[in-house]
Amino acid sequence: MLPRTYFLAFLVLLALLPHVLYPVFLMQLLCMALFACAFNLLLGYTGLLSFGHAAFLGGSAFIAGQAAKVWELPIELSILAGTLTGTLLGVGFGLIAIRKQGIYFAMITLALAQMVFFYALKAPFTGGEDGLQSIPRSNLFGIIDLTHEVTMYYFILALFLAGFLIIFRIIHSPFGQILKSIRENEDRAISLGYRVDRYKLAAFIISAALSGLAGSMKAMVSQVVSLSDVHWSMSGTVVLMTLIGGTGTLFGPIVGAAIIVSMEHYLGEYLGSWVTIIMGVIFVICVLTFRQGVVGELEQRLIKRKLPFQSQDSTS
Amino acid sequence: MAELLGMPPQLFFGQLLLGLINGAFYAMLSLGLAIIFGMLQIVNFAHGATYMVGAFGAWMLMNYLGIGFWPALILTPLIVALLGVILERLVLKHLYDLDHLYGMLATFGLALIIEGLFRQAYGISGLPYEIPTQLQGGTNLGFMFLPNYRAFVVLMSIILCFGTWYLIERTKMGMYLRATTENRELVRAFGIKVPRLITATFALGVGLAAFAGVMAAPIYQVNPLMGNNLIIVIFAVVVIGGMGSILGATLAGYLVGLVEGLTKAYYPEASSTVVFILMIIVLIVRPSGLFGKEQ
């Protein structure tokens, strides 16, 4: 359940933020937040750890950038092209990886994503080490000028909310319930007659498609796509964002993305490559002591206080 | 023999040798990964970082203490294994009862820390390390020129892999190890100190990676990121060989190296992706890997 007041407060906050903070930073945050939410649909609600999500983010970012820059498509079609790329990659990865579970699944998605990375490294259109630069921002629907950063922010916010609501709907649908049952006990879900593989594949493709949307948005926001977007450390970053915010919670990935992106943004210039080390330390601490994440812990405390004798469901 | 399979034999054998060398490293690394996985049920994401630390260990011993290659070949794995024991006791020990995925995530974090620290200290440009004088030069085999050091690497890798296989399949200690992999509680009930056995296994796996790192130092440059992309190839090798199979990990290591070398000779564009294509084919034809047992 999503308490309506919280959600409204969240909306108002998002609408007001660009007048307080730097809009480009916020847009990048929203892109990563959507990416983390899409990833969480898979890890938190289906119980599958993909270590290859960078391929969906980066692959679709490259195609979206290519569409806008070389094919000169309008921005909405470029984003669509990127999202489709993410979806298709998701179908391909999913069909191969879904036969395996747990660690195997993580390793296979990682290897598949590395293939996409090497392709991006070698393929001429990605610009190799330089990446794809100076991607133009065309007018939205041909009329709205997006070169103004605050206007662009509202466009990105609308896309983010659309993605977020899709995930919200999926989680609270019968389909989402089946995904959760697979996470909790796959064998029982099979014995109840569900074709588990199909549900997992569907969740994987949806997650890949939304990651593709996030990647395309990112390409339009920063107007640059670099190889680091497809590199496997990006897959690690999204795991960290989800974990630190709270796996299997609705708002957790957003909080996690906010923490990590702010850290990179504000501390990056002072600390340089220490940021990677700090991220590693946070990773280890999270895994050892803080597995429910910020939102997970908060929810548990609140629920404990309200309903001391009832079972706690951190997913609601 | 002017032409061999459509190309000059020097080139053909040269690439094959390069593949064999890479395969030797893949085999040593995937072996350690497989042993650790079998015992701790943890996919050690920090394995590539350990290999890098091994290479740096040799470099540091040489440049700070003046200790040469041969002592370093013994000393570095021991030091790294000791560090491995500390890590296992401090971090990994707490993860055994959790989902396997947490082990992978924790070691991922460790890899970030280790590689980050070395990058901070040494930058990302490679540091040179001399080939030991006894192994400089090469032998002319008639059809190709074989550098002595590379022959040594392949030989050592084969000895090491065989030795590890022997240790695990043919000795009493190995029997305890295998028994613990099968049923931890039962082995404990027989009075064997299982936690100590687990620590020893981790130290062994980590030591193997460090050993590979020392041997890699003269061939590839010593670089904080040298294990960074390698670890993913190693994952693919382990998937191809079959998770938890020692023989599978070793043979798949050489196989992947050779296939990579041949691809480099015939179709260089695909040489960095062929491992993953091989992995996909294996997964479709034999989902549990070439030597893996059906679950």
Side-chain angles (χ1 to χ4, degrees), chain A residues 100 103-104 110 114-115 122 232 273-274 291, chain B residues 43 98 100 108 120 228-229 232 243 272 287:
Chain A
K100 289 291 186 175
I103 294 173
Y104 248 121
L110 179 62
Q114 191 71 354
M115 245 169 94
K122 296 273 167 66
W232 60 267
S273 54
W274 281 102
R291 281 183 290 275
Chain B
V43 174
L98 301 171
H100 300 346
F108 176 76
Q120 192 67 30
N228 185 288
N229 283 327
I232 299 169
M243 199 86 187
S272 46

mmCIF file with all atom_site columns, all heavy atoms in Angstrom, chain A residues 100 103-104 110 114-115 122 232 273-274 291, chain B residues 43 98 100 108 120 228-229 232 243 272 287:
data_model
loop_
_atom_site.group_PDB
_atom_site.id
_atom_site.type_symbol
_atom_site.label_atom_id
_atom_site.label_alt_id
_atom_site.label_comp_id
_atom_site.label_asym_id
_atom_site.label_entity_id
_atom_site.label_seq_id
_atom_site.pdbx_PDB_ins_code
_atom_site.Cartn_x
_atom_site.Cartn_y
_atom_site.Cartn_z
_atom_site.occupancy
_atom_site.B_iso_or_equiv
_atom_site.pdbx_formal_charge
_atom_site.auth_seq_id
_atom_site.auth_comp_id
_atom_site.auth_asym_id
_atom_site.auth_atom_id
_atom_site.pdbx_PDB_model_num
ATOM 1   N N   . LYS A 1 100 ? 18.627 -20.502 -15.155 1.00 0.00 ? 100 LYS A N   1
ATOM 2   C CA  . LYS A 1 100 ? 19.456 -20.700 -13.973 1.00 0.00 ? 100 LYS A CA  1
ATOM 3   C C   . LYS A 1 100 ? 18.999 -19.792 -12.836 1.00 0.00 ? 100 LYS A C   1
ATOM 4   O O   . LYS A 1 100 ? 18.376 -18.760 -13.062 1.00 0.00 ? 100 LYS A O   1
ATOM 5   C CB  . LYS A 1 100 ? 20.904 -20.362 -14.318 1.00 0.00 ? 100 LYS A CB  1
ATOM 6   C CG  . LYS A 1 100 ? 21.534 -21.388 -15.223 1.00 0.00 ? 100 LYS A CG  1
ATOM 7   C CD  . LYS A 1 100 ? 21.708 -22.663 -14.444 1.00 0.00 ? 100 LYS A CD  1
ATOM 8   C CE  . LYS A 1 100 ? 22.462 -23.679 -15.276 1.00 0.00 ? 100 LYS A CE  1
ATOM 9   N NZ  . LYS A 1 100 ? 22.740 -24.871 -14.505 1.00 0.00 ? 100 LYS A NZ  1
ATOM 10  N N   . ILE A 1 103 ? 23.276 -17.621 -7.850  1.00 0.00 ? 103 ILE A N   1
ATOM 11  C CA  . ILE A 1 103 ? 24.588 -17.152 -8.234  1.00 0.00 ? 103 ILE A CA  1
ATOM 12  C C   . ILE A 1 103 ? 24.827 -17.338 -9.720  1.00 0.00 ? 103 ILE A C   1
ATOM 13  O O   . ILE A 1 103 ? 25.376 -16.480 -10.392 1.00 0.00 ? 103 ILE A O   1
ATOM 14  C CB  . ILE A 1 103 ? 25.642 -17.930 -7.438  1.00 0.00 ? 103 ILE A CB  1
ATOM 15  C CG1 . ILE A 1 103 ? 25.527 -17.575 -5.972  1.00 0.00 ? 103 ILE A CG1 1
ATOM 16  C CG2 . ILE A 1 103 ? 27.016 -17.625 -7.933  1.00 0.00 ? 103 ILE A CG2 1
ATOM 17  C CD1 . ILE A 1 103 ? 26.394 -18.410 -5.120  1.00 0.00 ? 103 ILE A CD1 1
ATOM 18  N N   . TYR A 1 104 ? 24.384 -18.499 -10.222 1.00 0.00 ? 104 TYR A N   1
ATOM 19  C CA  . TYR A 1 104 ? 24.541 -18.774 -11.639 1.00 0.00 ? 104 TYR A CA  1
ATOM 20  C C   . TYR A 1 104 ? 23.909 -17.668 -12.472 1.00 0.00 ? 104 TYR A C   1
ATOM 21  O O   . TYR A 1 104 ? 24.480 -17.170 -13.437 1.00 0.00 ? 104 TYR A O   1
ATOM 22  C CB  . TYR A 1 104 ? 23.842 -20.095 -11.976 1.00 0.00 ? 104 TYR A CB  1
ATOM 23  C CG  . TYR A 1 104 ? 24.789 -21.193 -12.347 1.00 0.00 ? 104 TYR A CG  1
ATOM 24  C CD1 . TYR A 1 104 ? 24.830 -22.376 -11.621 1.00 0.00 ? 104 TYR A CD1 1
ATOM 25  C CD2 . TYR A 1 104 ? 25.633 -21.063 -13.449 1.00 0.00 ? 104 TYR A CD2 1
ATOM 26  C CE1 . TYR A 1 104 ? 25.689 -23.391 -11.963 1.00 0.00 ? 104 TYR A CE1 1
ATOM 27  C CE2 . TYR A 1 104 ? 26.490 -22.071 -13.799 1.00 0.00 ? 104 TYR A CE2 1
ATOM 28  C CZ  . TYR A 1 104 ? 26.519 -23.242 -13.058 1.00 0.00 ? 104 TYR A CZ  1
ATOM 29  O OH  . TYR A 1 104 ? 27.366 -24.236 -13.402 1.00 0.00 ? 104 TYR A OH  1
ATOM 30  N N   . LEU A 1 110 ? 26.055 -11.238 -15.879 1.00 0.00 ? 110 LEU A N   1
ATOM 31  C CA  . LEU A 1 110 ? 27.294 -10.452 -15.889 1.00 0.00 ? 110 LEU A CA  1
ATOM 32  C C   . LEU A 1 110 ? 28.090 -10.717 -17.160 1.00 0.00 ? 110 LEU A C   1
ATOM 33  O O   . LEU A 1 110 ? 28.552 -9.794  -17.840 1.00 0.00 ? 110 LEU A O   1
ATOM 34  C CB  . LEU A 1 110 ? 28.119 -10.813 -14.656 1.00 0.00 ? 110 LEU A CB  1
ATOM 35  C CG  . LEU A 1 110 ? 29.458 -10.128 -14.475 1.00 0.00 ? 110 LEU A CG  1
ATOM 36  C CD1 . LEU A 1 110 ? 29.261 -8.642  -14.334 1.00 0.00 ? 110 LEU A CD1 1
ATOM 37  C CD2 . LEU A 1 110 ? 30.163 -10.671 -13.247 1.00 0.00 ? 110 LEU A CD2 1
ATOM 38  N N   . GLN A 1 114 ? 28.948 -8.207  -20.295 1.00 0.00 ? 114 GLN A N   1
ATOM 39  C CA  . GLN A 1 114 ? 30.318 -7.926  -20.695 1.00 0.00 ? 114 GLN A CA  1
ATOM 40  C C   . GLN A 1 114 ? 30.468 -8.028  -22.211 1.00 0.00 ? 114 GLN A C   1
ATOM 41  O O   . GLN A 1 114 ? 31.252 -7.311  -22.820 1.00 0.00 ? 114 GLN A O   1
ATOM 42  C CB  . GLN A 1 114 ? 31.264 -8.905  -19.980 1.00 0.00 ? 114 GLN A CB  1
ATOM 43  C CG  . GLN A 1 114 ? 32.725 -8.560  -20.090 1.00 0.00 ? 114 GLN A CG  1
ATOM 44  C CD  . GLN A 1 114 ? 33.098 -7.327  -19.279 1.00 0.00 ? 114 GLN A CD  1
ATOM 45  O OE1 . GLN A 1 114 ? 32.242 -6.658  -18.718 1.00 0.00 ? 114 GLN A OE1 1
ATOM 46  N NE2 . GLN A 1 114 ? 34.380 -7.022  -19.235 1.00 0.00 ? 114 GLN A NE2 1
ATOM 47  N N   . MET A 1 115 ? 29.662 -8.908  -22.812 1.00 0.00 ? 115 MET A N   1
ATOM 48  C CA  . MET A 1 115 ? 29.652 -9.005  -24.277 1.00 0.00 ? 115 MET A CA  1
ATOM 49  C C   . MET A 1 115 ? 29.188 -7.690  -24.883 1.00 0.00 ? 115 MET A C   1
ATOM 50  O O   . MET A 1 115 ? 29.767 -7.194  -25.857 1.00 0.00 ? 115 MET A O   1
ATOM 51  C CB  . MET A 1 115 ? 28.674 -10.101 -24.683 1.00 0.00 ? 115 MET A CB  1
ATOM 52  C CG  . MET A 1 115 ? 29.332 -11.249 -25.354 1.00 0.00 ? 115 MET A CG  1
ATOM 53  S SD  . MET A 1 115 ? 28.194 -12.603 -25.517 1.00 0.00 ? 115 MET A SD  1
ATOM 54  C CE  . MET A 1 115 ? 27.556 -12.322 -27.118 1.00 0.00 ? 115 MET A CE  1
ATOM 55  N N   . LYS A 1 122 ? 34.178 -1.831  -29.302 1.00 0.00 ? 122 LYS A N   1
ATOM 56  C CA  . LYS A 1 122 ? 34.716 -2.019  -30.650 1.00 0.00 ? 122 LYS A CA  1
ATOM 57  C C   . LYS A 1 122 ? 33.883 -1.341  -31.723 1.00 0.00 ? 122 LYS A C   1
ATOM 58  O O   . LYS A 1 122 ? 34.414 -0.913  -32.745 1.00 0.00 ? 122 LYS A O   1
ATOM 59  C CB  . LYS A 1 122 ? 34.797 -3.523  -30.964 1.00 0.00 ? 122 LYS A CB  1
ATOM 60  C CG  . LYS A 1 122 ? 35.746 -4.303  -30.077 1.00 0.00 ? 122 LYS A CG  1
ATOM 61  C CD  . LYS A 1 122 ? 37.173 -4.284  -30.627 1.00 0.00 ? 122 LYS A CD  1
ATOM 62  C CE  . LYS A 1 122 ? 38.177 -4.784  -29.619 1.00 0.00 ? 122 LYS A CE  1
ATOM 63  N NZ  . LYS A 1 122 ? 38.013 -6.209  -29.298 1.00 0.00 ? 122 LYS A NZ  1
ATOM 64  N N   . TRP A 1 232 ? 30.643 -3.058  -16.218 1.00 0.00 ? 232 TRP A N   1
ATOM 65  C CA  . TRP A 1 232 ? 29.970 -3.826  -15.171 1.00 0.00 ? 232 TRP A CA  1
ATOM 66  C C   . TRP A 1 232 ? 29.982 -3.132  -13.829 1.00 0.00 ? 232 TRP A C   1
ATOM 67  O O   . TRP A 1 232 ? 29.195 -3.482  -12.945 1.00 0.00 ? 232 TRP A O   1
ATOM 68  C CB  . TRP A 1 232 ? 30.531 -5.242  -15.070 1.00 0.00 ? 232 TRP A CB  1
ATOM 69  C CG  . TRP A 1 232 ? 31.993 -5.373  -14.762 1.00 0.00 ? 232 TRP A CG  1
ATOM 70  C CD1 . TRP A 1 232 ? 33.001 -5.492  -15.667 1.00 0.00 ? 232 TRP A CD1 1
ATOM 71  C CD2 . TRP A 1 232 ? 32.612 -5.433  -13.477 1.00 0.00 ? 232 TRP A CD2 1
ATOM 72  N NE1 . TRP A 1 232 ? 34.199 -5.613  -15.027 1.00 0.00 ? 232 TRP A NE1 1
ATOM 73  C CE2 . TRP A 1 232 ? 34.007 -5.579  -13.687 1.00 0.00 ? 232 TRP A CE2 1
ATOM 74  C CE3 . TRP A 1 232 ? 32.133 -5.378  -12.169 1.00 0.00 ? 232 TRP A CE3 1
ATOM 75  C CZ2 . TRP A 1 232 ? 34.910 -5.674  -12.635 1.00 0.00 ? 232 TRP A CZ2 1
ATOM 76  C CZ3 . TRP A 1 232 ? 33.037 -5.464  -11.129 1.00 0.00 ? 232 TRP A CZ3 1
ATOM 77  C CH2 . TRP A 1 232 ? 34.408 -5.612  -11.364 1.00 0.00 ? 232 TRP A CH2 1
ATOM 78  N N   . SER A 1 273 ? 39.139 9.237   -6.632  1.00 0.00 ? 273 SER A N   1
ATOM 79  C CA  . SER A 1 273 ? 38.861 7.799   -6.702  1.00 0.00 ? 273 SER A CA  1
ATOM 80  C C   . SER A 1 273 ? 38.616 7.192   -5.325  1.00 0.00 ? 273 SER A C   1
ATOM 81  O O   . SER A 1 273 ? 38.330 6.010   -5.211  1.00 0.00 ? 273 SER A O   1
ATOM 82  C CB  . SER A 1 273 ? 40.007 7.075   -7.414  1.00 0.00 ? 273 SER A CB  1
ATOM 83  O OG  . SER A 1 273 ? 41.224 7.390   -6.794  1.00 0.00 ? 273 SER A OG  1
ATOM 84  N N   . TRP A 1 274 ? 38.716 8.011   -4.268  1.00 0.00 ? 274 TRP A N   1
ATOM 85  C CA  . TRP A 1 274 ? 38.317 7.487   -2.955  1.00 0.00 ? 274 TRP A CA  1
ATOM 86  C C   . TRP A 1 274 ? 36.846 7.115   -2.935  1.00 0.00 ? 274 TRP A C   1
ATOM 87  O O   . TRP A 1 274 ? 36.416 6.298   -2.126  1.00 0.00 ? 274 TRP A O   1
ATOM 88  C CB  . TRP A 1 274 ? 38.603 8.510   -1.856  1.00 0.00 ? 274 TRP A CB  1
ATOM 89  C CG  . TRP A 1 274 ? 40.037 8.536   -1.445  1.00 0.00 ? 274 TRP A CG  1
ATOM 90  C CD1 . TRP A 1 274 ? 40.974 9.454   -1.822  1.00 0.00 ? 274 TRP A CD1 1
ATOM 91  C CD2 . TRP A 1 274 ? 40.719 7.596   -0.612  1.00 0.00 ? 274 TRP A CD2 1
ATOM 92  N NE1 . TRP A 1 274 ? 42.189 9.141   -1.265  1.00 0.00 ? 274 TRP A NE1 1
ATOM 93  C CE2 . TRP A 1 274 ? 42.068 8.008   -0.509  1.00 0.00 ? 274 TRP A CE2 1
ATOM 94  C CE3 . TRP A 1 274 ? 40.310 6.447   0.068   1.00 0.00 ? 274 TRP A CE3 1
ATOM 95  C CZ2 . TRP A 1 274 ? 43.013 7.305   0.224   1.00 0.00 ? 274 TRP A CZ2 1
ATOM 96  C CZ3 . TRP A 1 274 ? 41.252 5.748   0.815   1.00 0.00 ? 274 TRP A CZ3 1
ATOM 97  C CH2 . TRP A 1 274 ? 42.586 6.180   0.880   1.00 0.00 ? 274 TRP A CH2 1
ATOM 98  N N   . ARG A 1 291 ? 21.180 -5.168  6.056   1.00 0.00 ? 291 ARG A N   1
ATOM 99  C CA  . ARG A 1 291 ? 20.685 -5.775  4.824   1.00 0.00 ? 291 ARG A CA  1
ATOM 100 C C   . ARG A 1 291 ? 19.320 -5.276  4.396   1.00 0.00 ? 291 ARG A C   1
ATOM 101 O O   . ARG A 1 291 ? 18.912 -5.456  3.265   1.00 0.00 ? 291 ARG A O   1
ATOM 102 C CB  . ARG A 1 291 ? 20.666 -7.300  4.968   1.00 0.00 ? 291 ARG A CB  1
ATOM 103 C CG  . ARG A 1 291 ? 22.023 -7.925  4.791   1.00 0.00 ? 291 ARG A CG  1
ATOM 104 C CD  . ARG A 1 291 ? 21.949 -9.417  4.877   1.00 0.00 ? 291 ARG A CD  1
ATOM 105 N NE  . ARG A 1 291 ? 21.666 -9.857  6.219   1.00 0.00 ? 291 ARG A NE  1
ATOM 106 C CZ  . ARG A 1 291 ? 22.585 -10.030 7.159   1.00 0.00 ? 291 ARG A CZ  1
ATOM 107 N NH1 . ARG A 1 291 ? 23.850 -9.809  6.884   1.00 0.00 ? 291 ARG A NH1 1
ATOM 108 N NH2 . ARG A 1 291 ? 22.254 -10.436 8.354   1.00 0.00 ? 291 ARG A NH2 1
ATOM 109 N N   . VAL B 2 43  ? 30.692 -16.996 -4.284  1.00 0.00 ? 43  VAL B N   1
ATOM 110 C CA  . VAL B 2 43  ? 31.380 -16.669 -5.526  1.00 0.00 ? 43  VAL B CA  1
ATOM 111 C C   . VAL B 2 43  ? 32.290 -15.500 -5.216  1.00 0.00 ? 43  VAL B C   1
ATOM 112 O O   . VAL B 2 43  ? 31.833 -14.404 -4.926  1.00 0.00 ? 43  VAL B O   1
ATOM 113 C CB  . VAL B 2 43  ? 30.385 -16.287 -6.633  1.00 0.00 ? 43  VAL B CB  1
ATOM 114 C CG1 . VAL B 2 43  ? 31.137 -15.821 -7.858  1.00 0.00 ? 43  VAL B CG1 1
ATOM 115 C CG2 . VAL B 2 43  ? 29.515 -17.449 -6.974  1.00 0.00 ? 43  VAL B CG2 1
ATOM 116 N N   . LEU B 2 98  ? 23.605 -16.927 5.280   1.00 0.00 ? 98  LEU B N   1
ATOM 117 C CA  . LEU B 2 98  ? 22.703 -16.094 4.482   1.00 0.00 ? 98  LEU B CA  1
ATOM 118 C C   . LEU B 2 98  ? 22.614 -16.629 3.057   1.00 0.00 ? 98  LEU B C   1
ATOM 119 O O   . LEU B 2 98  ? 23.323 -17.551 2.669   1.00 0.00 ? 98  LEU B O   1
ATOM 120 C CB  . LEU B 2 98  ? 23.228 -14.662 4.441   1.00 0.00 ? 98  LEU B CB  1
ATOM 121 C CG  . LEU B 2 98  ? 23.384 -13.962 5.778   1.00 0.00 ? 98  LEU B CG  1
ATOM 122 C CD1 . LEU B 2 98  ? 24.116 -12.653 5.593   1.00 0.00 ? 98  LEU B CD1 1
ATOM 123 C CD2 . LEU B 2 98  ? 22.018 -13.708 6.388   1.00 0.00 ? 98  LEU B CD2 1
ATOM 124 N N   . HIS B 2 100 ? 23.328 -17.040 -0.713  1.00 0.00 ? 100 HIS B N   1
ATOM 125 C CA  . HIS B 2 100 ? 24.640 -17.004 -1.372  1.00 0.00 ? 100 HIS B CA  1
ATOM 126 C C   . HIS B 2 100 ? 24.931 -15.657 -2.015  1.00 0.00 ? 100 HIS B C   1
ATOM 127 O O   . HIS B 2 100 ? 26.076 -15.279 -2.191  1.00 0.00 ? 100 HIS B O   1
ATOM 128 C CB  . HIS B 2 100 ? 24.709 -18.062 -2.471  1.00 0.00 ? 100 HIS B CB  1
ATOM 129 C CG  . HIS B 2 100 ? 24.504 -19.438 -1.981  1.00 0.00 ? 100 HIS B CG  1
ATOM 130 N ND1 . HIS B 2 100 ? 24.555 -19.754 -0.654  1.00 0.00 ? 100 HIS B ND1 1
ATOM 131 C CD2 . HIS B 2 100 ? 24.248 -20.583 -2.625  1.00 0.00 ? 100 HIS B CD2 1
ATOM 132 C CE1 . HIS B 2 100 ? 24.336 -21.038 -0.514  1.00 0.00 ? 100 HIS B CE1 1
ATOM 133 N NE2 . HIS B 2 100 ? 24.133 -21.565 -1.689  1.00 0.00 ? 100 HIS B NE2 1
ATOM 134 N N   . PHE B 2 108 ? 32.232 -8.434  -3.785  1.00 0.00 ? 108 PHE B N   1
ATOM 135 C CA  . PHE B 2 108 ? 32.255 -7.350  -4.778  1.00 0.00 ? 108 PHE B CA  1
ATOM 136 C C   . PHE B 2 108 ? 32.724 -6.051  -4.122  1.00 0.00 ? 108 PHE B C   1
ATOM 137 O O   . PHE B 2 108 ? 33.572 -5.337  -4.657  1.00 0.00 ? 108 PHE B O   1
ATOM 138 C CB  . PHE B 2 108 ? 30.862 -7.176  -5.392  1.00 0.00 ? 108 PHE B CB  1
ATOM 139 C CG  . PHE B 2 108 ? 30.757 -6.032  -6.363  1.00 0.00 ? 108 PHE B CG  1
ATOM 140 C CD1 . PHE B 2 108 ? 31.280 -6.147  -7.633  1.00 0.00 ? 108 PHE B CD1 1
ATOM 141 C CD2 . PHE B 2 108 ? 30.150 -4.838  -6.000  1.00 0.00 ? 108 PHE B CD2 1
ATOM 142 C CE1 . PHE B 2 108 ? 31.199 -5.094  -8.530  1.00 0.00 ? 108 PHE B CE1 1
ATOM 143 C CE2 . PHE B 2 108 ? 30.061 -3.790  -6.888  1.00 0.00 ? 108 PHE B CE2 1
ATOM 144 C CZ  . PHE B 2 108 ? 30.588 -3.914  -8.161  1.00 0.00 ? 108 PHE B CZ  1
ATOM 145 N N   . GLN B 2 120 ? 44.640 4.196   -5.986  1.00 0.00 ? 120 GLN B N   1
ATOM 146 C CA  . GLN B 2 120 ? 44.966 5.435   -5.303  1.00 0.00 ? 120 GLN B CA  1
ATOM 147 C C   . GLN B 2 120 ? 46.480 5.557   -5.105  1.00 0.00 ? 120 GLN B C   1
ATOM 148 O O   . GLN B 2 120 ? 47.058 6.616   -5.258  1.00 0.00 ? 120 GLN B O   1
ATOM 149 C CB  . GLN B 2 120 ? 44.249 5.445   -3.937  1.00 0.00 ? 120 GLN B CB  1
ATOM 150 C CG  . GLN B 2 120 ? 44.248 6.766   -3.238  1.00 0.00 ? 120 GLN B CG  1
ATOM 151 C CD  . GLN B 2 120 ? 43.401 7.775   -3.990  1.00 0.00 ? 120 GLN B CD  1
ATOM 152 O OE1 . GLN B 2 120 ? 42.433 7.417   -4.643  1.00 0.00 ? 120 GLN B OE1 1
ATOM 153 N NE2 . GLN B 2 120 ? 43.770 9.040   -3.924  1.00 0.00 ? 120 GLN B NE2 1
ATOM 154 N N   . ASN B 2 228 ? 40.484 -6.738  -13.059 1.00 0.00 ? 228 ASN B N   1
ATOM 155 C CA  . ASN B 2 228 ? 39.150 -6.149  -13.101 1.00 0.00 ? 228 ASN B CA  1
ATOM 156 C C   . ASN B 2 228 ? 38.243 -6.777  -14.157 1.00 0.00 ? 228 ASN B C   1
ATOM 157 O O   . ASN B 2 228 ? 37.120 -7.174  -13.877 1.00 0.00 ? 228 ASN B O   1
ATOM 158 C CB  . ASN B 2 228 ? 39.331 -4.646  -13.341 1.00 0.00 ? 228 ASN B CB  1
ATOM 159 C CG  . ASN B 2 228 ? 38.047 -3.888  -13.301 1.00 0.00 ? 228 ASN B CG  1
ATOM 160 O OD1 . ASN B 2 228 ? 37.249 -4.002  -14.213 1.00 0.00 ? 228 ASN B OD1 1
ATOM 161 N ND2 . ASN B 2 228 ? 37.811 -3.131  -12.255 1.00 0.00 ? 228 ASN B ND2 1
ATOM 162 N N   . ASN B 2 229 ? 38.751 -6.880  -15.389 1.00 0.00 ? 229 ASN B N   1
ATOM 163 C CA  . ASN B 2 229 ? 37.931 -7.509  -16.425 1.00 0.00 ? 229 ASN B CA  1
ATOM 164 C C   . ASN B 2 229 ? 38.145 -9.011  -16.481 1.00 0.00 ? 229 ASN B C   1
ATOM 165 O O   . ASN B 2 229 ? 37.292 -9.753  -16.952 1.00 0.00 ? 229 ASN B O   1
ATOM 166 C CB  . ASN B 2 229 ? 38.241 -6.897  -17.788 1.00 0.00 ? 229 ASN B CB  1
ATOM 167 C CG  . ASN B 2 229 ? 37.588 -5.536  -17.949 1.00 0.00 ? 229 ASN B CG  1
ATOM 168 O OD1 . ASN B 2 229 ? 36.508 -5.305  -17.409 1.00 0.00 ? 229 ASN B OD1 1
ATOM 169 N ND2 . ASN B 2 229 ? 38.240 -4.643  -18.650 1.00 0.00 ? 229 ASN B ND2 1
ATOM 170 N N   . ILE B 2 232 ? 35.557 -11.521 -14.870 1.00 0.00 ? 232 ILE B N   1
ATOM 171 C CA  . ILE B 2 232 ? 34.320 -11.891 -15.557 1.00 0.00 ? 232 ILE B CA  1
ATOM 172 C C   . ILE B 2 232 ? 34.570 -13.028 -16.535 1.00 0.00 ? 232 ILE B C   1
ATOM 173 O O   . ILE B 2 232 ? 33.745 -13.937 -16.667 1.00 0.00 ? 232 ILE B O   1
ATOM 174 C CB  . ILE B 2 232 ? 33.729 -10.649 -16.234 1.00 0.00 ? 232 ILE B CB  1
ATOM 175 C CG1 . ILE B 2 232 ? 33.417 -9.632  -15.133 1.00 0.00 ? 232 ILE B CG1 1
ATOM 176 C CG2 . ILE B 2 232 ? 32.467 -10.979 -16.978 1.00 0.00 ? 232 ILE B CG2 1
ATOM 177 C CD1 . ILE B 2 232 ? 33.085 -8.300  -15.621 1.00 0.00 ? 232 ILE B CD1 1
ATOM 178 N N   . MET B 2 243 ? 29.967 -25.461 -12.356 1.00 0.00 ? 243 MET B N   1
ATOM 179 C CA  . MET B 2 243 ? 30.253 -24.887 -11.045 1.00 0.00 ? 243 MET B CA  1
ATOM 180 C C   . MET B 2 243 ? 30.631 -25.976 -10.056 1.00 0.00 ? 243 MET B C   1
ATOM 181 O O   . MET B 2 243 ? 29.979 -27.001 -9.969  1.00 0.00 ? 243 MET B O   1
ATOM 182 C CB  . MET B 2 243 ? 28.993 -24.170 -10.566 1.00 0.00 ? 243 MET B CB  1
ATOM 183 C CG  . MET B 2 243 ? 29.241 -23.184 -9.510  1.00 0.00 ? 243 MET B CG  1
ATOM 184 S SD  . MET B 2 243 ? 29.701 -21.627 -10.255 1.00 0.00 ? 243 MET B SD  1
ATOM 185 C CE  . MET B 2 243 ? 30.115 -20.746 -8.782  1.00 0.00 ? 243 MET B CE  1
ATOM 186 N N   . SER B 2 272 ? 37.557 -10.999 -27.889 1.00 0.00 ? 272 SER B N   1
ATOM 187 C CA  . SER B 2 272 ? 37.202 -10.728 -26.495 1.00 0.00 ? 272 SER B CA  1
ATOM 188 C C   . SER B 2 272 ? 35.796 -11.185 -26.153 1.00 0.00 ? 272 SER B C   1
ATOM 189 O O   . SER B 2 272 ? 35.444 -11.270 -24.981 1.00 0.00 ? 272 SER B O   1
ATOM 190 C CB  . SER B 2 272 ? 37.380 -9.247  -26.177 1.00 0.00 ? 272 SER B CB  1
ATOM 191 O OG  . SER B 2 272 ? 36.826 -8.464  -27.189 1.00 0.00 ? 272 SER B OG  1
ATOM 192 N N   . PRO B 2 287 ? 23.229 -27.307 -19.761 1.00 0.00 ? 287 PRO B N   1
ATOM 193 C CA  . PRO B 2 287 ? 23.030 -26.215 -18.792 1.00 0.00 ? 287 PRO B CA  1
ATOM 194 C C   . PRO B 2 287 ? 23.896 -26.320 -17.545 1.00 0.00 ? 287 PRO B C   1
ATOM 195 O O   . PRO B 2 287 ? 24.209 -25.308 -16.933 1.00 0.00 ? 287 PRO B O   1
ATOM 196 C CB  . PRO B 2 287 ? 21.550 -26.323 -18.431 1.00 0.00 ? 287 PRO B CB  1
ATOM 197 C CG  . PRO B 2 287 ? 20.941 -27.026 -19.573 1.00 0.00 ? 287 PRO B CG  1
ATOM 198 C CD  . PRO B 2 287 ? 21.972 -27.941 -20.123 1.00 0.00 ? 287 PRO B CD  1
#
